[in-house]
Amino acid sequence: MALTQQEDIEKMLVCKTHLGTRNIDHRMKRYVFRRTADGIHIVHLGKTWEKAMVAARAIVTVENPMDIVVVSQRVYGSRAVLKFAQYVGAHALAGRWMPGTLTNQITSKYLEPRLLVVTDPRVDSQAVKEAAYANIPVVALCDTDSPLEHVDICIPCNNKGKESIALIYWLLAREVMYLRGTLNRTTPWDIMVDAFFWRDPEELERAEEDGNAGWQQAKPAADEWAEGAGESWADQADGNWGDAPAAGGDDWGAAAAAPADNGGGEGRSSMGALLPAVSSSSSSSSSASLFASLSDVEHHDKWRGFSVAGEGRSSMGALLPAVSSSSSSSSSASLFASLSDVEHHDKWRGFSVAGEGRSS
Protein backbone atom coordinates (compact mmCIF):
# COMPACT_ATOMS: atom_id res chain seq x y z
CA MET A 1 0.00 0.00 0.00
CA ALA A 2 1.39 3.36 -0.99
CA LEU A 3 2.01 6.00 1.60
CA THR A 4 -0.56 8.36 0.04
CA GLN A 5 -3.21 5.65 0.00
CA GLN A 6 -2.58 4.80 3.65
CA GLU A 7 -2.87 8.43 4.69
CA ASP A 8 -6.07 8.82 2.71
CA ILE A 9 -7.61 5.72 4.32
CA GLU A 10 -6.73 7.07 7.75
CA LYS A 11 -8.54 10.26 6.90
CA MET A 12 -11.52 8.21 5.77
CA LEU A 13 -11.61 6.46 9.12
CA VAL A 14 -11.56 9.78 10.92
CA CYS A 15 -14.39 11.16 8.76
CA LYS A 16 -16.44 7.94 9.19
CA THR A 17 -16.50 7.21 5.50
CA HIS A 18 -16.64 3.45 6.17
CA LEU A 19 -19.98 3.51 8.05
CA GLY A 20 -22.89 2.30 5.93
CA THR A 21 -26.52 1.62 6.74
CA ARG A 22 -28.49 -1.36 8.04
CA ASN A 23 -29.97 -1.97 4.59
CA ILE A 24 -27.94 -3.13 1.63
CA ASP A 25 -28.51 -3.31 -2.11
CA HIS A 26 -27.56 -6.59 -3.75
CA ARG A 27 -25.28 -4.74 -6.21
CA MET A 28 -23.41 -3.08 -3.31
CA LYS A 29 -22.41 -6.33 -1.59
CA ARG A 30 -19.10 -6.39 -3.44
CA TYR A 31 -18.05 -3.17 -1.64
CA VAL A 32 -19.04 -4.28 1.88
CA PHE A 33 -16.27 -5.51 4.17
CA ARG A 34 -18.39 -6.94 7.01
CA ARG A 35 -21.42 -6.33 9.18
CA THR A 36 -21.29 -5.23 12.82
CA ALA A 37 -23.30 -6.67 15.71
CA ASP A 38 -25.66 -3.68 15.45
CA GLY A 39 -26.43 -4.57 11.85
CA ILE A 40 -24.45 -1.70 10.26
CA HIS A 41 -22.53 -2.60 7.11
CA ILE A 42 -18.89 -1.52 6.92
CA VAL A 43 -17.58 -0.31 3.56
CA HIS A 44 -14.22 -1.56 2.29
CA LEU A 45 -12.10 1.60 2.29
CA GLY A 46 -9.49 0.13 -0.07
CA LYS A 47 -12.11 -0.21 -2.78
CA THR A 48 -13.42 3.23 -1.97
CA TRP A 49 -10.00 4.76 -2.60
CA GLU A 50 -9.53 2.81 -5.85
CA LYS A 51 -12.93 3.86 -7.23
CA ALA A 52 -12.20 7.48 -6.30
CA MET A 53 -9.00 7.33 -8.37
CA VAL A 54 -10.94 5.84 -11.31
CA ALA A 55 -13.54 8.61 -11.09
CA ALA A 56 -10.80 11.25 -11.05
CA ARG A 57 -9.32 9.82 -14.25
CA ALA A 58 -12.76 9.92 -15.89
CA ILE A 59 -13.13 13.56 -14.89
CA VAL A 60 -9.74 14.45 -16.35
CA THR A 61 -10.67 13.06 -19.76
CA VAL A 62 -13.21 15.86 -20.25
CA GLU A 63 -11.42 18.61 -22.15
CA ASN A 64 -13.65 21.50 -21.12
CA PRO A 65 -14.11 21.55 -17.31
CA MET A 66 -17.41 23.43 -17.68
CA ASP A 67 -18.85 20.33 -19.37
CA ILE A 68 -18.74 18.61 -15.96
CA VAL A 69 -21.88 19.12 -13.87
CA VAL A 70 -21.71 18.41 -10.13
CA VAL A 71 -25.10 18.01 -8.42
CA SER A 72 -26.06 17.86 -4.75
CA GLN A 73 -29.60 18.27 -3.47
CA ARG A 74 -28.46 17.11 -0.04
CA VAL A 75 -27.67 20.04 2.22
CA TYR A 76 -24.49 18.52 3.64
CA GLY A 77 -22.97 18.29 0.17
CA SER A 78 -23.75 21.81 -1.06
CA ARG A 79 -20.53 23.42 0.18
CA ALA A 80 -18.38 20.49 -0.97
CA VAL A 81 -19.90 20.69 -4.47
CA LEU A 82 -19.19 24.41 -4.71
CA LYS A 83 -15.61 23.98 -3.52
CA PHE A 84 -15.01 21.11 -5.93
CA ALA A 85 -16.32 23.19 -8.82
CA GLN A 86 -14.10 26.08 -7.74
CA TYR A 87 -10.84 24.11 -7.85
CA VAL A 88 -11.68 21.84 -10.79
CA GLY A 89 -13.55 24.41 -12.90
CA ALA A 90 -16.79 22.43 -13.17
CA HIS A 91 -20.38 23.64 -13.13
CA ALA A 92 -22.02 23.22 -9.69
CA LEU A 93 -25.76 22.83 -9.08
CA ALA A 94 -26.37 22.90 -5.33
CA GLY A 95 -29.91 22.76 -4.04
CA ARG A 96 -33.09 21.84 -5.87
CA TRP A 97 -32.71 20.22 -9.27
CA MET A 98 -34.81 21.91 -11.93
CA PRO A 99 -36.63 19.18 -13.91
CA GLY A 100 -35.81 19.30 -17.60
CA THR A 101 -32.33 20.72 -17.14
CA LEU A 102 -30.83 18.00 -19.34
CA THR A 103 -33.85 17.22 -21.53
CA ASN A 104 -35.97 20.33 -22.07
CA GLN A 105 -34.25 22.63 -24.59
CA ILE A 106 -36.81 25.42 -24.15
CA THR A 107 -35.73 26.20 -20.58
CA SER A 108 -33.14 28.92 -20.01
CA LYS A 109 -31.07 26.62 -17.76
CA TYR A 110 -30.73 23.85 -20.31
CA LEU A 111 -27.33 22.10 -20.13
CA GLU A 112 -25.52 19.58 -22.31
CA PRO A 113 -22.73 18.23 -20.08
CA ARG A 114 -20.21 15.54 -20.91
CA LEU A 115 -20.17 14.09 -17.39
CA LEU A 116 -22.51 14.17 -14.38
CA VAL A 117 -21.37 13.76 -10.76
CA VAL A 118 -24.07 13.26 -8.12
CA THR A 119 -23.82 13.09 -4.34
CA ASP A 120 -26.63 10.58 -3.73
CA PRO A 121 -28.30 8.63 -6.58
CA ARG A 122 -31.46 8.25 -4.48
CA VAL A 123 -31.87 11.92 -3.65
CA ASP A 124 -30.64 13.04 -7.08
CA SER A 125 -32.71 10.45 -8.93
CA GLN A 126 -34.22 13.05 -11.29
CA ALA A 127 -30.78 14.14 -12.46
CA VAL A 128 -29.66 10.51 -12.95
CA LYS A 129 -32.81 9.72 -14.94
CA GLU A 130 -32.37 12.72 -17.23
CA ALA A 131 -28.70 11.81 -17.73
CA ALA A 132 -29.81 8.35 -18.82
CA TYR A 133 -32.20 9.92 -21.36
CA ALA A 134 -29.39 12.13 -22.73
CA ASN A 135 -26.82 9.29 -22.69
CA ILE A 136 -24.52 11.11 -20.21
CA PRO A 137 -22.14 9.05 -18.01
CA VAL A 138 -22.79 9.33 -14.26
CA VAL A 139 -20.34 9.23 -11.33
CA ALA A 140 -22.14 8.76 -8.00
CA LEU A 141 -21.26 8.56 -4.31
CA CYS A 142 -23.18 5.45 -3.22
CA ASP A 143 -24.03 4.13 0.21
CA THR A 144 -24.80 0.48 0.94
CA ASP A 145 -28.52 1.03 0.24
CA SER A 146 -28.18 3.27 -2.85
CA PRO A 147 -29.67 2.09 -6.19
CA LEU A 148 -27.16 1.68 -8.99
CA GLU A 149 -29.46 2.09 -11.99
CA HIS A 150 -27.85 4.27 -14.68
CA VAL A 151 -24.71 4.73 -12.55
CA ASP A 152 -21.48 4.17 -14.46
CA ILE A 153 -18.87 4.74 -11.73
CA CYS A 154 -19.84 4.05 -8.13
CA ILE A 155 -17.74 5.40 -5.23
CA PRO A 156 -18.81 3.37 -2.15
CA CYS A 157 -18.83 5.61 0.90
CA ASN A 158 -21.02 7.18 3.53
CA ASN A 159 -22.97 9.79 1.56
CA LYS A 160 -25.04 11.00 4.55
CA GLY A 161 -22.31 12.56 6.72
CA LYS A 162 -20.97 16.02 6.00
CA GLU A 163 -17.37 15.01 6.82
CA SER A 164 -17.46 11.95 4.59
CA ILE A 165 -18.94 13.83 1.61
CA ALA A 166 -16.41 16.64 2.00
CA LEU A 167 -13.47 14.22 2.14
CA ILE A 168 -14.50 12.36 -1.04
CA TYR A 169 -14.85 15.58 -3.02
CA TRP A 170 -11.54 16.80 -1.60
CA LEU A 171 -9.81 13.60 -2.75
CA LEU A 172 -11.38 13.91 -6.21
CA ALA A 173 -10.31 17.54 -6.58
CA ARG A 174 -6.77 16.81 -5.43
CA GLU A 175 -6.37 13.81 -7.75
CA VAL A 176 -7.73 15.76 -10.73
CA MET A 177 -5.20 18.51 -10.09
CA TYR A 178 -2.44 15.89 -9.82
CA LEU A 179 -3.43 14.34 -13.14
CA ARG A 180 -3.67 17.71 -14.88
CA GLY A 181 -0.24 18.66 -13.68
CA THR A 182 -1.31 21.83 -11.87
CA LEU A 183 -0.21 20.27 -8.58
CA ASN A 184 2.95 18.27 -7.92
CA ARG A 185 2.51 14.91 -6.18
CA THR A 186 5.63 15.41 -4.09
CA THR A 187 4.12 18.45 -2.37
CA PRO A 188 0.95 18.15 -0.29
CA TRP A 189 -2.08 20.22 -1.15
CA ASP A 190 -2.26 23.34 1.02
CA ILE A 191 -6.09 23.33 1.03
CA MET A 192 -7.44 21.61 4.11
CA VAL A 193 -10.39 19.25 4.13
CA ASP A 194 -12.16 21.62 6.52
CA ALA A 195 -12.77 24.03 3.62
CA PHE A 196 -15.15 21.46 2.08
CA PHE A 197 -17.15 20.90 5.28
CA TRP A 198 -20.70 22.14 5.35
CA ARG A 199 -21.21 24.68 8.14
CA ASP A 200 -24.48 25.51 9.80
CA PRO A 201 -25.20 29.26 9.72
CA GLU A 202 -26.53 29.07 13.29
CA GLU A 203 -23.27 27.53 14.47
CA LEU A 204 -21.32 30.31 12.78
CA GLU A 205 -23.49 32.92 14.49
CA ARG A 206 -22.99 31.26 17.88
CA ALA A 207 -19.23 31.10 17.33
CA GLU A 208 -19.20 34.78 16.41
CA GLU A 209 -21.22 35.67 19.50
CA ASP A 210 -18.85 33.66 21.70
CA GLY A 211 -15.90 35.50 20.18
CA ASN A 212 -17.53 38.87 20.82
CA ALA A 213 -18.32 37.86 24.40
CA GLY A 214 -14.70 36.88 24.99
CA TRP A 215 -13.52 40.18 23.56
CA GLN A 216 -15.88 42.15 25.77
CA GLN A 217 -14.67 40.38 28.90
CA ALA A 218 -11.12 41.65 28.34
CA LYS A 219 -11.87 45.34 28.87
CA PRO A 220 -9.06 47.91 28.64
CA ALA A 221 -7.91 49.89 31.64
CA ALA A 222 -9.61 53.02 30.30
CA ASP A 223 -13.04 51.42 30.65
CA GLU A 224 -12.30 50.43 34.23
CA TRP A 225 -11.15 53.96 35.01
CA ALA A 226 -14.34 55.34 33.46
CA GLU A 227 -16.45 53.01 35.58
CA GLY A 228 -14.60 54.09 38.74
CA ALA A 229 -15.03 57.77 37.88
CA GLY A 230 -18.75 57.24 37.30
CA GLU A 231 -19.16 55.68 40.74
CA SER A 232 -17.30 58.57 42.48
CA TRP A 233 -19.41 61.12 40.66
CA ALA A 234 -22.55 59.31 41.74
CA ASP A 235 -21.38 59.37 45.37
CA GLN A 236 -20.66 63.09 45.21
CA ALA A 237 -24.02 63.77 43.60
CA ASP A 238 -25.80 61.83 46.33
CA GLY A 239 -24.05 63.87 49.04
CA ASN A 240 -24.83 67.27 47.48
CA TRP A 241 -28.47 66.40 46.88
CA GLY A 242 -28.84 65.34 50.51
CA ASP A 243 -27.47 68.64 51.83
CA ALA A 244 -29.33 70.99 49.46
CA PRO A 245 -32.83 70.95 51.07
CA ALA A 246 -31.51 71.59 54.58
CA ALA A 247 -29.54 74.70 53.53
CA GLY A 248 -32.16 76.40 51.38
CA GLY A 249 -35.43 75.27 52.88
CA ASP A 250 -36.18 78.58 54.68
CA ASP A 251 -35.42 80.74 51.65
CA TRP A 252 -37.71 78.70 49.43
CA GLY A 253 -40.53 78.99 51.98
CA ALA A 254 -40.05 82.74 52.22
CA ALA A 255 -40.10 83.13 48.45
CA ALA A 256 -43.28 81.10 48.17
CA ALA A 257 -44.99 83.03 50.98
CA ALA A 258 -44.70 86.46 49.28
CA PRO A 259 -45.98 86.38 45.66
CA ALA A 260 -46.24 89.74 43.86
CA ASP A 261 -50.02 89.93 43.57
CA ASN A 262 -52.57 92.72 44.22
CA GLY A 263 -52.65 94.98 47.35
CA GLY A 264 -54.17 92.67 49.96
CA GLY A 265 -52.62 89.34 48.92
CA GLU A 266 -49.55 89.68 51.15
CA GLY A 267 -51.59 90.12 54.31
CA ARG A 268 -53.68 87.06 53.63
CA SER A 269 -50.62 84.96 52.80
CA SER A 270 -49.04 85.88 56.12
CA MET A 271 -52.30 85.10 57.82
CA GLY A 272 -52.31 81.69 56.09
CA ALA A 273 -48.86 81.00 57.48
CA LEU A 274 -50.23 81.87 60.92
CA LEU A 275 -53.00 79.24 60.88
CA PRO A 276 -50.89 76.17 61.79
CA ALA A 277 -49.45 77.83 64.91
CA VAL A 278 -52.84 79.00 66.11
CA SER A 279 -54.62 75.74 65.42
CA SER A 280 -51.91 73.64 67.10
CA SER A 281 -52.03 75.61 70.35
CA SER A 282 -55.74 76.49 70.62
CA SER A 283 -58.69 74.24 71.33
CA SER A 284 -61.07 72.78 68.77
CA SER A 285 -63.71 75.51 69.37
CA SER A 286 -61.30 78.39 68.92
CA SER A 287 -59.86 76.88 65.74
CA ALA A 288 -63.35 76.41 64.32
CA SER A 289 -64.30 80.04 65.09
CA LEU A 290 -61.03 81.24 63.62
CA PHE A 291 -61.59 79.46 60.30
CA ALA A 292 -65.20 80.67 60.20
CA SER A 293 -64.11 84.31 60.77
CA LEU A 294 -61.45 84.01 58.08
CA SER A 295 -63.98 82.65 55.58
CA ASP A 296 -66.27 85.61 56.42
CA VAL A 297 -63.43 88.02 55.77
CA GLU A 298 -62.70 86.42 52.40
CA HIS A 299 -66.39 86.53 51.42
CA HIS A 300 -66.69 90.19 52.52
CA ASP A 301 -63.67 91.19 50.43
CA LYS A 302 -65.06 89.54 47.35
CA TRP A 303 -68.47 91.21 47.80
CA ARG A 304 -67.05 94.68 48.29
CA GLY A 305 -64.55 94.27 45.42
CA PHE A 306 -61.60 95.79 47.31
CA SER A 307 -58.13 94.58 46.33
CA VAL A 308 -56.62 95.99 49.52
CA ALA A 309 -59.08 94.19 51.85
CA GLY A 310 -58.95 96.78 54.66
CA GLU A 311 -62.22 95.60 56.07
CA GLY A 312 -60.82 92.09 56.39
CA ARG A 313 -57.99 93.36 58.49
CA SER A 314 -60.45 95.35 60.68
CA SER A 315 -62.50 92.17 61.16
CA MET A 316 -59.29 90.42 62.02
CA GLY A 317 -58.80 93.02 64.81
CA ALA A 318 -62.17 92.03 66.23
CA LEU A 319 -61.13 88.44 66.09
CA LEU A 320 -58.06 88.93 68.29
CA PRO A 321 -59.77 88.83 71.71
CA ALA A 322 -61.34 85.44 71.02
CA VAL A 323 -58.08 83.99 69.88
CA SER A 324 -56.03 85.44 72.73
CA SER A 325 -58.46 84.22 75.36
CA SER A 326 -58.31 80.60 74.22
CA SER A 327 -54.72 80.30 73.06
CA SER A 328 -51.53 80.26 75.08
CA SER A 329 -49.17 83.18 75.55
CA SER A 330 -46.76 81.83 72.95
CA SER A 331 -49.45 81.61 70.26
CA SER A 332 -50.60 85.21 71.04
CA ALA A 333 -47.03 86.47 70.71
CA SER A 334 -46.62 84.75 67.37
CA LEU A 335 -49.97 86.15 66.22
CA PHE A 336 -49.02 89.77 67.05
CA ALA A 337 -45.61 89.28 65.49
CA SER A 338 -47.26 88.14 62.27
CA LEU A 339 -49.62 91.13 62.36
CA SER A 340 -46.72 93.50 62.82
CA ASP A 341 -45.07 91.93 59.78
CA VAL A 342 -48.25 92.55 57.80
CA GLU A 343 -48.36 96.18 58.92
CA HIS A 344 -44.70 96.68 58.05
CA HIS A 345 -45.23 95.16 54.65
CA ASP A 346 -48.24 97.37 53.90
CA LYS A 347 -46.32 100.47 54.90
CA TRP A 348 -43.49 99.49 52.63
CA ARG A 349 -45.97 99.19 49.77
CA GLY A 350 -47.29 102.69 50.58
CA PHE A 351 -50.71 101.77 51.83
CA SER A 352 -52.41 103.70 54.64
CA VAL A 353 -55.78 102.10 54.47
CA ALA A 354 -57.46 100.52 57.52
CA GLY A 355 -54.79 101.47 60.05
CA GLU A 356 -57.41 101.66 62.78
CA GLY A 357 -58.12 97.92 62.51
CA ARG A 358 -54.48 96.93 63.06
CA SER A 359 -54.01 99.41 65.90
CA SER A 360 -57.04 97.97 67.66
Side-chain angles (χ1 to χ4, degrees), residues 57 64-65 68 79 88 95 109-110 147 161 188 223 239 251 275 335 338:
R57 294 190 180 191
N64 186 8
I68 303 171
R79 182 180 176 86
V88 175
K109 296 184 178 180
Y110 175 72
D223 295 343
D251 296 337
L275 290 178
L335 177 62
S338 301

Side-chain angles (χ1 to χ4, degrees), residues 22-33:
R22 298 179 183 273
N23 300 327
I24 186 172
D25 190 86
H26 66 280
R27 286 163 293 191
M28 289 294 297
K29 289 183 178 180
R30 69 185 78 176
Y31 303 113
V32 174
F33 175 67

Side-chain angles (χ1 to χ4, degrees), residues 91-130:
H91 184 78
L93 293 177
R96 183 179 180 274
W97 173 267
M98 182 64 68
T101 303
L102 303 180
T103 57
N104 191 357
Q105 300 179 3
I106 300 177
T107 59
S108 59
K109 296 184 178 180
Y110 175 72
L111 298 175
E112 291 181 316
R114 296 278 306 276
L115 182 65
L116 180 67
V117 181
V118 297
T119 304
D120 190 347
R122 187 182 300 277
V123 178
D124 303 324
S125 60
Q126 182 66 28
V128 174
K129 187 181 297 184
E130 292 184 10

Side-chain angles (χ1 to χ4, degrees), residues 217-236:
Q217 289 179 358
K219 289 184 177 180
D223 295 343
E224 297 179 357
W225 178 83
E227 292 179 0
E231 294 177 358
S232 62
W233 279 49
D235 296 340
Q236 294 177 5

